[in-house]
Amino acid sequence: VALTSERYGVRRLPFSRVSCGDVAFFERLLPGRVLTGAEELELFNVDWLRSVRGSSKLLLKPQTVAEVSQVLRYCYERNLAVNPQGGNTGLVGGSVPVFDEIILSTVLMNQVISFDEVSGILVCQAGCILENLSQYVEEKGFVMPLDLGAKGSCHIGGNVATNAGGLRLLRYGSLRGTVLGLEVVLADGSVLDCLASLRKDNTGYDLKQLFIGSEGTLGVITAVSILCPQKPKAVNLAFLGCQSFAQVLNTFTTCRAMLGEILSAFEFMDDKCMELVEQHLKLSKPVTGCPFYVLIETSGSNSTHDEEKLSNFLERAMTSGLVTDGTVATDEKKIKASHRFTILRSMLWSLRERITEALTHEGYVYKYDISLPVGKLYDLVTDTRARLGRCAKNVVGYGHLGDGNLHLNITADSYSHSLLDAIEPFVYEWTARCNGSISAEHGLGFKKKCFIHYSKPKEAVLLMQRFKAMLDPKGILNPYKTLPSSS
């Protein structure tokens, strides 16, 4: 585990330390839902990548907004630091303590509050697992506007707190558009009820936007109101191989022009990603021998119409030489064929969704989540590969091409200060020169907070710090994360 707090010179702020009296108070408030054992807390103190580790000695599991309010009111009065935690699937060290902050887990806040089958508006507690919500709304003919590789364990509250993007953003937009309202508990325990279920509400400032993407530093999200689109009646997938990134870009341009409103995902992966997925996860790709691969999904209401559009696009892509090989999964209506489609669709998406998992088998992973102009997306991978040479085990690139979102991953047998020095701030300087963003969808967390100036002017950072000071004057909420010190 990398000792990142030492590397970045972070020192514990003068918060109070948890006393026996504090534990006794919480045990009375949350009977049977307080953890204090070192072994019990182990998984909650370490992030999913095992790259950062905290030393919290107390974890709380509230079930209601009233309990969260009482917890934060007490912590505020006692000057106890709090680390809100959902599914702990974050990739930038934002979901685990840096020192001994109290972990406030939303794991038991997992109830659906309401669902409107006319409007498709879902209201639920923040601890609901994304995949469970997806299954819930799909049974009612709708889909969640968000889909992630970590959907089996991530919480919707954490998704909102990090403004997670994912695989459906191309079609349904970001959470800033699909989240209609939030219930948030502020640092002093006061409850902000902005849990609206209206598509249009233009009364004053849109306060929920402050908390979307704030990574638990301004308040603890306890409930979410989110707009779910209707489930598409026809879904098709194509997995294609391209001989260059220029061909990937031209394929995307052609795809967007010919598929239009039914295009729901356009993902790209380089060959090294696929090699690692095959090697470590034993998944087989249906197309071989290409430097780049593309996964395209269409979602619509008429299978005949959609299949015809997809077929025309594929014919154009193949005859023009943009694509050298590919396979297609179409949504057949017959039961047996539909079952085969479901299996094939799952297999094709696994090739993309499980890249992160495959990379963890390589040793230590340096992860970068970047937004760039689409035309320059893969140049960063090429330049980083050339810069690092044999110092890195692998340098790979994949991501959401339709959103200009690159996932740059560098692997090594173990963590190395010298390798990190070769990567940072090179990657951020390169991104800044292209007017990109150093965080497209994972947030800044602990690992990236000191690099925010590469994407935001000092005036913007200062204003963010003022918001933080206003909403959390004692700085107890997720300290050491997202923003650099204001001192």
Side-chain angles (χ1 to χ4, degrees):
V1 175
L3 299 177
T4 48
S5 60
E6 293 181 8
R7 171 180 171 77
Y8 293 113
V10 177
R11 295 183 179 180
R12 187 185 184 279
L13 294 173
F15 298 113
S16 300
R17 296 188 185 274
V18 175
S19 68
C20 294
D22 297 327
V23 175
F25 170 82
F26 290 125
E27 287 179 336
R28 288 194 300 272
L29 177 64
L30 309 171
R33 291 176 281 137
V34 176
L35 301 184
T36 57
E39 290 186 9
E40 293 177 305
L41 287 165
E42 172 68 18
L43 289 176
F44 302 96
N45 265 313
V46 182
D47 73 329
W48 186 79
L49 289 172
R50 300 191 66 80
S51 61
V52 288
R53 179 190 294 274
S55 55
S56 176
K57 297 175 176 60
L58 179 64
L59 181 139
L60 309 176
K61 295 182 179 181
Q63 289 180 310
T64 67
V65 63
E67 290 178 343
V68 175
S69 175
Q70 289 177 276
V71 166
L72 289 185
R73 185 180 301 115
Y74 182 88
C75 290
Y76 189 78
E77 292 173 355
R78 281 274 296 119
N79 196 36
L80 292 164
V82 178
N83 181 97
Q85 188 178 97
N88 196 14
T89 60
L91 301 178
V92 289
S95 59
V96 294
V98 177
F99 296 102
D100 57 347
E101 300 90 90
I102 295 171
I103 300 173
L104 180 63
S105 172
T106 58
V107 67
L108 298 182
M109 302 184 72
N110 56 9
Q111 300 301 306
V112 170
I113 298 170
S114 67
F115 182 74
D116 188 322
E117 297 193 32
V118 176
S119 65
I121 296 172
L122 171 72
V123 181
C124 63
Q125 287 185 301
C128 291
I129 292 173
L130 179 59
E131 189 168 42
N132 293 346
L133 292 178
S134 294
Q135 293 171 354
Y136 176 87
V137 298
E138 283 188 23
E139 289 173 0
K140 299 178 183 300
F142 293 81
V143 295
M144 291 295 290
L146 176 70
D147 188 25
L148 304 170
K151 60 192 170 190
S153 52
C154 65
H155 294 183
I156 189 65
N159 298 150
V160 174
T162 57
N163 191 28
L167 306 165
R168 291 176 178 164
L169 192 142
L170 179 63
R171 177 66 177 271
Y172 300 121
S174 78
L175 289 174
R176 293 197 180 277
T178 54
V179 170
L180 303 179
L182 295 175
E183 178 185 74
V184 182
V185 182
L186 303 181
D188 64 359
S190 57
V191 178
L192 180 64
D193 186 355
C194 292
L195 203 59
S197 294
L198 301 172
R199 293 287 301 275
K200 301 178 78 174
D201 179 6
N202 202 21
T203 50
Y205 305 129
D206 190 0
L207 295 178
K208 70 176 181 293
Q209 296 295 346
L210 271 178
F211 302 97
I212 299 174
S214 68
E215 304 184 68
T217 62
L218 300 181
V220 177
I221 295 171
T222 52
V224 178
S225 172
I226 188 167
L227 179 65
C228 300
Q230 285 195 312
K231 184 178 180 180
K233 294 182 173 62
V235 178
N236 300 294
L237 273 180
F239 189 90
L240 312 173
C242 298
Q243 290 301 317
S244 68
F245 192 71
Q247 289 183 337
V248 171
L249 292 174
N250 288 332
T251 300
F252 174 61
T253 302
T254 305
C255 177
R256 189 169 51 181
M258 297 186 69
L259 298 181
E261 79 288 351
I262 65 170
L263 179 62
S264 55
F266 193 103
E267 302 288 308
F268 90 95
M269 305 135 279
D270 63 21
D271 185 46
K272 193 62 186 178
C273 289
M274 293 296 93
E275 183 181 311
L276 296 176
V277 168
E278 287 185 298
Q279 176 184 341
H280 297 299
L281 306 181
K282 310 306 178 187
L283 300 178
S284 298
K285 60 181 184 286
V287 179
T288 59
C290 299
F292 294 94
Y293 298 94
V294 168
L295 182 62
I296 298 169
E297 183 179 79
T298 67
S299 303
S301 58
N302 186 311
S303 58
T304 303
H305 167 268
D306 294 0
E307 287 176 27
E308 182 179 353
K309 292 188 79 165
L310 181 60
S311 178
N312 290 338
F313 157 70
L314 292 172
E315 183 178 357
R316 171 81 63 85
M318 295 292 286
T319 56
S320 63
L322 292 178
V323 172
T324 55
D325 199 359
T327 188
V328 179
T330 56
D331 191 4
E332 299 286 349
K333 292 299 179 185
K334 294 178 181 178
I335 294 176
K336 288 184 178 179
S338 180
H339 179 65
R340 287 197 299 270
F341 167 77
T342 301
I343 294 173
L344 181 55
R345 181 172 184 261
S346 176
M347 181 195 77
L348 293 178
W349 268 119
S350 290
L351 291 170
R352 164 60 183 89
E353 290 180 325
R354 297 183 68 186
I355 293 173
T356 296
E357 180 187 348
L359 285 162
T360 61
H361 291 271
E362 285 288 286
Y364 190 87
V365 187
Y366 303 83
K367 303 187 74 67
Y368 299 90
D369 160 46
I370 306 293
S371 274
L372 290 166
V374 177
K376 297 181 179 293
L377 206 62
Y378 202 74
D379 291 347
L380 177 55
V381 182
T382 304
D383 288 356
T384 303
R385 198 174 278 155
R387 175 179 173 83
L388 300 181
R390 295 184 178 180
C391 295
K393 195 172 179 181
N394 290 296
V395 179
V396 304
Y398 63 99
H400 320 298
L401 189 72
D403 313 324
N405 183 184
L406 169 71
H407 294 305
L408 170 68
N409 285 250
I410 299 148
T411 66
D413 288 327
S414 59
Y415 174 79
S416 162
H417 282 337
S418 60
L419 180 54
L420 185 58
D421 287 337
I423 301 168
E424 299 175 6
F426 167 78
V427 166
Y428 301 131
E429 291 171 344
W430 197 103
T431 301
R433 284 197 299 272
C434 295
N435 297 313
S437 169
I438 66 167
S439 179
E441 60 181 1
H442 292 161
L444 296 167
F446 177 78
K447 293 180 180 179
K448 291 185 177 183
K449 69 165 189 171
C450 293
F451 300 109
I452 190 173
H453 294 94
Y454 285 101
S455 291
K456 292 289 186 289
K458 63 181 180 180
E459 294 82 5
V461 176
L462 178 62
L463 188 57
M464 293 180 198
Q465 290 169 333
R466 289 168 66 184
F467 277 125
K468 170 70 172 174
M470 178 181 68
L471 292 172
D472 182 16
K474 292 186 177 181
I476 68 167
L477 288 179
N478 221 10
Y480 323 106
K481 316 284 179 60
T482 305
L483 295 176
S485 172
S486 57
S487 59

